Amino acid sequence: MTSAVLKQRNLLGIRGMSAAEITHILDTAETFREISEREIKKVPTLRGRTLINLFFEASTRTRTSFEIAGKRLSADVINISSSSSSVTKGETLLDTARNLEAMGPDLIVIRHPSAGAPHQLARVCRAAVVNAGDGAHEHPTQALLDALTIRQRKGSFEGLRVAILGDILHSRVARSNAHLLTTLGASVTVAGPGTLAPPEFAALAGEGGLTVARRVEEAVEGADVVMVLRIQRERQDSAFLPSLREYAVHYGLNLKRLSLAKADAIVMHPGPMNRGIEIASDVADGARSLILDQVANGLAVRMAVLYLLGGGAGVTTATPNPAAQTKPEVEPQPEPLSSAAAAAHADGSK
Ligand code: CP
């Protein structure tokens, strides 16, 4: 890792990251948001670097945004899915990784149904490894994009009350968010059916800040942020729920339950959503929903992560301004920066 703030060369999880490291990634992501608003959405920051996206599980948002992020930074991007890889012929994950490594990639992004798969890869690869979701373990870039979305609306995390609702047990998003939000000073309350939100989850944050509520209403009351998780039917190998209809009635976020939160509370969901089950459509599409802002921020966060781990040009200080340091590959016509953004970049600030 070339940054003075980030200590690791891979991004495998949020657990163990310091508040300074997390904030550094969020600050870097803010500088990348502007690139996506340009007419020519491309900078040469990672020109000559190779990114492999290795997805062994379905994905819309994460896979697409890592691909777009790599391309906007001018990296060579190769996408490999489990169905198109030699894993279908019996090759192990580690042999796949060693063979990819022999081709000299600089970055490998991996999503895998088994917890710990990215860590295994990181042990055998010289390339920087990014965890794009491993089983029910962690999904660090999701938590980072969630944090960026919260910070844009709420300013800071200290004292913020965040409710996380639903299938906590199977959720890598819940784990990464619990680590991140409590590290930055927010208090997190999770709630769901007893089978999917076990009391032991409270120990996850270590130094407190995490509570398991018995009822969804308890968690939502007075919350600044209400984060709804998907019911993960594919990870439920036994009967955790009586029925989806009952789940919607007792645990789903509807307008009535949302009215218990603060008047300016925001609603988030990592996607993909089960409309009418964990979240009502009028909540998902309502004025307080930031679900599509999360997706837009996902691109900025993934550009930041690739830039920081991929040794992008000019990363020599703790406060890089990549958007200002790099010139677009094709000179845009006309000048693409808004006057406000141009002023900000002219003096090197974010
Ligand atoms: N939030 C998320 O990881 O979505 P995808 O599964 O579509 O990548």
Side-chain angles (χ1 to χ4, degrees):
M1 170 75 60
T2 45
S3 162
V5 174
L6 289 174
K7 304 290 178 238
Q8 55 210 350
R9 56 181 293 276
N10 305 300
L11 179 60
L12 302 178
I14 298 294
R15 187 177 182 189
M17 287 181 78
S18 67
E21 287 177 296
I22 293 165
T23 302
H24 181 53
I25 296 176
L26 300 185
D27 291 345
T28 307
E30 283 291 0
T31 71
F32 279 110
R33 276 166 50 87
E34 177 268 323
I35 292 173
S36 296
E37 287 158 19
R38 293 181 182 180
E39 191 177 333
I40 307 291
K41 302 174 179 61
K42 195 155 181 146
V43 290
T45 312
L46 292 184
R47 184 186 282 156
R49 309 286 162 103
T50 303
L51 160 67
I52 296 180
N53 282 325
L54 195 51
F55 276 65
F56 292 96
E57 233 186 38
S59 169
T60 297
R61 283 146 286 267
T62 313
R63 198 201 63 77
T64 310
S65 61
F66 268 117
E67 180 175 352
I68 295 175
K71 287 179 172 170
R72 288 200 178 159
L73 294 173
S74 301
D76 296 313
V77 183
I78 290 95
N79 296 307
I80 303 175
S81 64
S82 49
S83 60
S84 65
S85 79
S86 289
V87 168
T88 56
K89 300 175 187 167
E91 187 171 69
T92 65
L93 173 65
L94 283 185
D95 280 337
T96 299
R98 287 189 184 105
N99 279 275
L100 293 175
E101 174 74 10
M103 297 181 229
D106 301 286
L107 293 143
I108 299 178
V109 174
I110 176 170
R111 170 171 288 192
H112 199 280
S114 300
H119 303 69
Q120 279 191 310
L121 237 66
R123 279 194 282 276
V124 299
C125 292
R126 283 187 304 275
V129 175
V130 181
N131 180 359
D134 60 331
H137 178 225
E138 282 232 34
H139 193 348
T141 56
Q142 179 69 46
L144 287 161
L145 73 89
D146 290 341
L148 188 62
T149 308
I150 294 171
R151 194 175 76 167
Q152 283 162 1
R153 280 301 172 106
K154 300 294 176 188
S156 73
F157 296 88
E158 203 59 51
L160 215 61
R161 293 177 61 180
V162 181
I164 305 181
L165 311 180
D167 184 355
I168 309 296
L169 184 67
H170 298 99
S171 177
R172 54 198 177 207
V173 176
R175 277 171 185 74
S176 290
N177 264 302
H179 290 306
L180 187 151
L181 293 166
T182 54
T183 298
L184 294 187
S187 69
V188 176
T189 303
V190 303
T195 48
L196 296 177
E200 304 80 56
F201 198 81
L204 196 72
E207 294 159 21
L210 185 61
T211 310
V212 179
R214 288 179 53 221
R215 296 173 62 244
V216 165
E217 288 79 0
E218 249 178 79
V220 174
E221 191 154 15
D224 299 284
V225 179
V226 184
M227 195 179 286
V228 186
L229 301 177
R230 181 173 69 91
I231 286 294
Q232 299 193 36
R233 282 175 274 183
E234 74 276 19
R235 290 194 212 286
Q236 297 184 14
D237 50 15
S238 56
F240 288 94
L241 299 172
S243 74
L244 293 179
R245 198 181 144 275
E246 276 186 74
Y247 184 88
V249 170
H250 296 293
Y251 304 101
L253 185 65
N254 52 30
L255 285 174
K256 186 170 176 217
R257 290 203 173 99
L258 183 58
S259 71
L260 298 169
K262 287 195 180 141
D264 63 348
I266 57 174
V267 174
M268 303 172 74
H269 192 304
M273 283 185 282
N274 295 301
R275 283 176 182 267
I277 301 176
E278 72 260 6
I279 189 165
S281 273
D282 46 10
V283 175
D285 302 329
R288 300 208 239 171
S289 169
L290 297 185
I291 292 169
L292 295 179
D293 299 59
Q294 291 173 260
V295 178
N297 281 329
L299 182 54
V301 159
R302 285 159 185 143
M303 287 174 85
V305 167
L306 296 179
Y307 165 75
L308 291 168
L309 296 179
V315 189
T316 53
T317 69
T319 53
N321 190 346
Q325 288 162 343
T326 55
K327 282 191 162 62
E329 193 166 41
V330 180
E331 285 298 330
Q333 299 290 335
E335 168 59 46
L337 286 175
S338 69
S339 55
H345 288 305
D347 67 9
S349 62
K350 291 190 297 293

